[in-house]
């Protein structure tokens, strides 16, 4: 599903964001990418959606060799992913319904399919009643749910979320995480980058911890703080 | 591209013109201004071109024989004219014809000519040249013939006018080229502002997997619509302005009596204007969109 092989990312200003990172995520997994700010979480997400290319190493996503991919094919990679951002990134001049439908329009989907899929996606995130409202009229949690519906409407096999709860209060954050778990239960692979300890600790999913660009820990049913007493990284 | 995508693109392009009213109006205004400036020069050049051709079609030279030549000697002059291949055609004005012309000129005062007949008038040849640039050479050649009294230009100023008009054409051509570049620059800059105002929207579209062309096309449609609206307004304005000038010049006694300045009818220039305006408006708008988008599509 997603594989990093000895990936190093060096930015042109000299910052080394990732150092020789390797891991593999299988279909149907739920994975947290954790670490403090500047640890390389965002870079890792950007490499998955090919917003950045690795300096060294290979990245494979959904069968694409992302690191060697032509720019022309990038839109098709992104359509096979559902992407959720910290700042929602909804189109302000489109209604909730139109925002979700737009993700299908760009794939040249049949209008019939759009009319069927969009209400389903909105029902899944519990926003059926707000279909004709503009994003500005929604709360942060609601906006993020719209973004989730948009990410899901094309039935992607992989959903990646970069700090999806970063702009939300704890209660709404839990709501979003519950939704992500439900999506995972339906068979979608979910990767969430976060630095929110409470969420990671509560869900006990696989945890990939990054520290200063190095893969510090890859643990099944992990929590945010490393239980290994020999390591003081997150104490 | 599927039809529903084309529909989406056209709808989106039209909506964008409407949603960004202020920006669209600004762009349309700039397009109108550049097209009008461009149109003025284009019309000047078209009219000059038309009139140079009119100039070329009027008799260029008139060769007057000595008035006392008999018919065989006149035939010699005629032969020299016929055999000169720089001359397209000629017409012999007999003594009788010349006298008729003279009588016409003195209409109402015919008594002045009383007692005269055509014998004191010379036979002349009105000759039309293939290339007006040969005129001085030909003039010299026939003036040196001893059977020829003189060679006259029907319009003394003809040489000057041809020279001046070719200069005006060159200068207008350069000005049109400069204006064209400036218009492209201004229009693409205006579109750059529209694109900049919507850079966030563009990046979101890229993130959810829209292809570059899917993003580009509505902007191109928008640019073309703005360009066409500008072209239509510019066309209406130029048509009024042109007619006004036409009426003014048409009533001008000097230009009419000089007989060599004839303005093209508006219906003769309208097609050229429509073609140039819609091409410049539409295509420049479209190219401007593509150029201005390039930077923002790299996400």
């Amino acid at each position: 599903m997603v594989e990093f092989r000895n990936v190093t990312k060096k930015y042109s200003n000299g910052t080394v964001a990732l150092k020789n990172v390797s891991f593999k995520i299988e279909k149907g997994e739920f994975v947290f990418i954790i670490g403090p700010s500047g640890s390389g979480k965002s870079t890792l997400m950007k490499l998955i959606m090919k917003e950045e290319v690795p300096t060294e190493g290979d990245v494979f996503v959904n069968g694409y060799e992302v690191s060697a991919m032509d720019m022309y094919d990038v839109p098709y990679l992104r359509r096979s992913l559902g992407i959720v951002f910290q700042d929602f990134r909804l189109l302000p001049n489109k209604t909730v319904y139109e925002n979700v439908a737009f993700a299908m329009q760009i794939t040249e989907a049949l209008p019939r399919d759009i009319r069927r899929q969009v209400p389903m996606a909105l029902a899944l995130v519990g926003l059926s009643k707000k279909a004709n409202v503009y994003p500005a009229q929604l709360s942060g949690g609601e906006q993020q749910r719209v973004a989730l519906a948009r990410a899901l409407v094309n039935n992607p096999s992989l959903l990646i979320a970069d700090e999806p709860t970063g702009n939300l209060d704890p209660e709404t954050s839990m709501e979003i995480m519950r939704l992500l778990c439900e999506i995972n239960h339906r068979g979608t692979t979910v990767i969430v980058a976060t630095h929110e300890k409470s969420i990671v600790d509560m869900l006990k999913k696989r945890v990939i911890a990054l520290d200063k660009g190095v893969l510090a820990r890859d643990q099944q049913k992990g929590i945010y703080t490393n239980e290994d007493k020999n390591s003081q990284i997150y104490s | 591209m599927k039809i529903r995508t084309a529909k989406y693109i056209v709808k989106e392009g039209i909506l964008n013109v409407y949603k960004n009213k202020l920006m669209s109006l600004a762009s349309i205004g700039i397009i109108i201004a550049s097209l009008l400036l461009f149109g003025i020069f284009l019309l000047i050049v078209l009219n000059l071109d038309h009139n140079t051709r009119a100039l070329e079609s009027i008799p260029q030279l008139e060769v007057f024989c000595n008035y006392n030549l008999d018919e065989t000697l006149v035939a010699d002059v005629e032969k020299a004219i016929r055999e000169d291949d720089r001359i397209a055609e000629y017409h012999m004005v007999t003594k009788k014809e010349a006298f008729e012309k003279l009588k016409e000129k003195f209409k109402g005062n015919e008594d002045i000519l009383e007692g005269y007949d055509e014998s004191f008038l010379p036979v002349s040849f009105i000759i039309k040249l293939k290339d007006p640039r040969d005129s001085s050479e030909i003039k010299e050649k026939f003036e040196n013939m001893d059977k020829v009294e003189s060679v006259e230009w029907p319009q003394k100023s003809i040489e000057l006018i041809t020279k001046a008009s070719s200069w005006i054409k060159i200068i207008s051509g350069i000005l049109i080229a400069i204006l064209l570049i400036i218009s492209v620059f201004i229009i693409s800059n205006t579109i750059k502002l529209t694109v900049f105002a919507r850079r966030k929207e563009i990046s979101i579209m890229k993130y959810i997997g829209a292809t570059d062309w899917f993003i580009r096309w509505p902007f191109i449609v928008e640019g073309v619509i703005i360009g066409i609206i500008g072209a239509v307004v510019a066309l209406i304005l130029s048509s009024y302005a042109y007619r006004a000038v036409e009426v003014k010049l048409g009533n001008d006694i000097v230009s009419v009596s000089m007989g060599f300045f004839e303005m093209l009818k508006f219906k003769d220039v309208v097609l050229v204007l429509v073609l140039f305006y819609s091409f410049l408006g539409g295509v420049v708008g479209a190219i401007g969109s593509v150029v201005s988008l390039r930077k923002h599509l790299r996400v």
Side-chain angles (χ1 to χ4, degrees):
Chain A
M1 195 97 246
V2 176
E3 189 179 356
F4 276 52
R5 279 189 206 153
N6 308 100
V7 173
T8 296
K9 174 66 189 176
K10 212 181 277 178
Y11 285 105
S12 51
N13 63 9
T15 319
V16 182
L18 289 177
K19 259 182 258 170
N20 198 22
V21 171
S22 299
F23 62 86
K24 197 168 180 181
I25 295 170
E26 301 294 344
K27 193 172 175 355
E29 277 194 89
F30 191 117
V31 182
F32 281 116
I33 311 284
I34 62 165
S37 322
S39 58
K41 297 190 302 287
S42 282
T43 301
L44 193 145
M45 295 308 233
K46 283 176 180 170
L47 288 171
I48 294 176
M49 61 177 109
K50 201 179 160 95
E51 193 183 329
E52 297 290 347
V53 281
T55 319
E56 275 168 54
D58 297 311
V59 177
F60 298 89
V61 177
N62 281 351
Y64 291 98
E65 190 184 347
V66 177
S67 38
M69 191 180 210
D70 196 47
M71 280 318 277
Y72 184 80
D73 293 321
V74 173
Y76 305 98
L77 164 76
R78 290 186 184 163
R79 287 176 197 181
S80 75
L81 308 172
I83 309 177
V84 176
F85 300 94
Q86 179 174 4
D87 54 356
F88 322 135
R89 300 200 188 171
L90 300 172
L91 297 167
N93 51 2
K94 286 190 193 295
T95 63
V96 166
Y97 183 93
E98 286 166 343
N99 261 288
V100 179
F102 189 64
M104 289 189 81
Q105 263 176 334
I106 62 167
T107 66
E108 306 199 289
L110 284 168
R112 181 157 37 96
D113 293 340
I114 296 177
R115 281 195 296 272
R116 197 184 58 222
Q117 296 275 95
V118 176
M120 271 168 61
L122 285 176
L124 179 68
V125 299
L127 280 177
S128 299
K129 283 183 182 148
K130 305 236 168 165
N132 294 318
V133 167
Y134 286 89
Q137 297 163 270
L138 297 175
S139 70
E142 286 170 326
Q143 288 190 46
Q144 194 59 300
R145 272 146 64 193
V146 177
L148 259 175
R150 182 181 64 188
L152 291 171
V153 76
N154 284 325
N155 286 319
S157 50
L158 172 64
L159 184 92
I160 61 175
D162 190 2
E163 303 275 8
T165 57
N167 283 1
L168 304 175
D169 58 71
E171 205 176 314
T172 345
S173 297
M174 285 321 295
E175 219 175 278
I176 296 294
M177 291 317 297
R178 255 201 305 277
L179 269 171
L180 285 172
C181 287
E182 195 186 329
I183 290 157
N184 178 242
H185 280 308
R186 292 170 180 228
T188 308
T189 313
V190 177
I191 303 175
V192 180
T194 187
H195 56 244
E196 277 184 57
K197 186 178 184 300
S198 56
I199 289 171
V200 180
D201 288 353
M202 197 185 77
L203 293 173
K204 296 217 166 49
K205 302 284 187 184
R206 179 178 170 189
V207 167
I208 293 177
L210 291 171
D211 183 47
K212 295 181 184 110
V214 180
L215 189 102
R217 179 161 54 107
D218 187 348
Q219 187 180 24
Q220 296 293 339
K221 298 196 177 180
I223 57 168
Y224 199 95
T225 315
N226 196 345
E227 290 159 307
D228 181 357
K229 297 280 186 291
N230 297 327
S231 169
Q232 298 295 309
I233 295 172
Y234 298 115
S235 55
Chain B
M1 191 192 293
K2 300 201 169 108
I3 290 172
R4 57 179 171 277
T5 306
K7 260 194 211 158
Y8 155 81
I9 284 164
V10 173
K11 191 180 136 205
E12 197 71 4
I14 295 169
L15 268 178
N16 282 345
V17 175
Y18 180 73
K19 277 182 183 164
N20 307 308
K21 274 183 280 274
L22 218 61
M23 218 44 134
S24 303
L25 277 178
S27 311
I28 291 169
I30 285 163
I31 289 180
I32 292 170
S34 342
L35 284 181
L36 278 181
L37 274 172
F38 174 79
I40 289 169
F41 284 102
L42 185 73
L43 288 172
I44 290 174
V45 168
L46 280 175
N47 271 295
L48 273 176
D49 204 45
H50 172 74
N51 280 293
T52 332
R53 240 173 259 144
L55 273 179
E56 281 158 10
S57 69
I58 63 171
Q60 293 279 330
L61 292 171
E62 193 163 4
V63 178
F64 292 93
C65 302
N66 288 331
Y67 71 95
N68 52 3
L69 287 189
D70 66 21
E71 271 174 37
T72 48
L73 292 172
V74 168
D76 285 348
V77 178
E78 189 181 353
K79 187 165 172 269
I81 290 171
R82 194 168 52 225
E83 282 171 0
D84 195 314
D85 54 10
R86 289 169 296 185
I87 293 165
E89 52 184 289
Y90 69 92
H91 168 72
M92 188 167 87
V93 182
T94 59
K95 286 175 181 247
K96 216 177 189 140
E97 273 176 45
F99 193 62
E100 291 301 318
K101 268 192 188 169
L102 200 63
K103 273 206 283 196
E104 214 169 288
K105 216 170 186 175
F106 288 106
K107 213 174 177 131
N109 300 304
E110 281 95 343
D111 47 323
I112 292 173
L113 295 170
E114 209 154 314
Y116 289 98
D117 64 6
E118 65 265 29
S119 63
F120 79 100
L121 288 169
V123 172
S124 70
F125 294 92
I126 295 170
I127 58 178
K128 222 186 253 182
L129 303 179
K130 281 179 183 155
D131 187 339
R133 281 171 298 188
D134 292 330
S135 60
S136 4
E137 257 179 66
I138 293 198
K139 184 175 192 284
E140 207 176 322
K141 177 187 165 188
F142 285 100
E143 270 173 343
N144 291 339
M145 272 178 86
D146 51 5
K147 294 155 194 159
V148 172
E149 174 71 34
S150 68
V151 180
E152 300 292 335
W153 267 297
Q155 294 289 345
K156 291 258 183 209
S157 49
I158 195 166
E159 202 177 15
L160 194 75
I161 290 162
T162 331
K163 215 175 251 174
S165 83
S166 69
W167 271 109
I168 293 172
K169 267 201 251 175
I170 292 169
I171 292 166
S172 306
I174 294 169
L175 281 174
I176 284 180
I178 293 171
L179 265 173
L180 207 72
I181 295 165
I182 293 173
S183 318
V184 171
F185 183 76
I186 293 176
I187 292 166
S188 71
N189 234 31
T190 316
I191 293 168
K192 216 175 264 176
L193 286 175
T194 334
V195 171
F196 188 75
R198 276 150 60 189
R199 64 195 185 285
K200 218 178 144 194
E201 200 180 320
I202 293 167
S203 83
I204 292 171
M205 288 163 84
K206 284 285 292 189
Y207 278 123
I208 59 176
T211 58
D212 286 357
W213 278 107
F214 189 88
I215 296 170
R216 237 177 243 143
W217 273 114
F219 279 98
I220 293 174
V221 171
E222 186 180 346
V224 171
I225 291 171
I226 286 173
I228 297 292
I229 294 174
V232 168
V233 177
L235 189 72
I236 293 168
L237 291 177
S238 341
S239 112
Y240 277 110
Y242 194 83
R243 291 223 179 85
V245 175
E246 203 178 24
V247 167
K248 199 148 195 278
L249 272 189
N251 296 334
D252 189 332
I253 291 169
V254 179
S255 62
V256 170
S257 62
M258 276 161 81
F260 59 77
F261 192 82
E262 181 197 11
M263 240 175 115
L264 284 163
K265 291 274 168 288
F266 187 72
K267 66 175 168 55
D268 298 326
V269 292
V270 75
L271 188 69
V272 186
L273 273 188
V274 168
L275 284 177
F276 268 93
Y277 279 9
S278 47
F279 174 81
L280 281 182
V283 176
V284 165
I287 293 172
S289 300
V290 174
V291 172
S292 337
L293 267 174
R294 225 175 24 195
K295 200 176 87 185
H296 295 282
L297 286 175
R298 284 192 213 114
V299 180

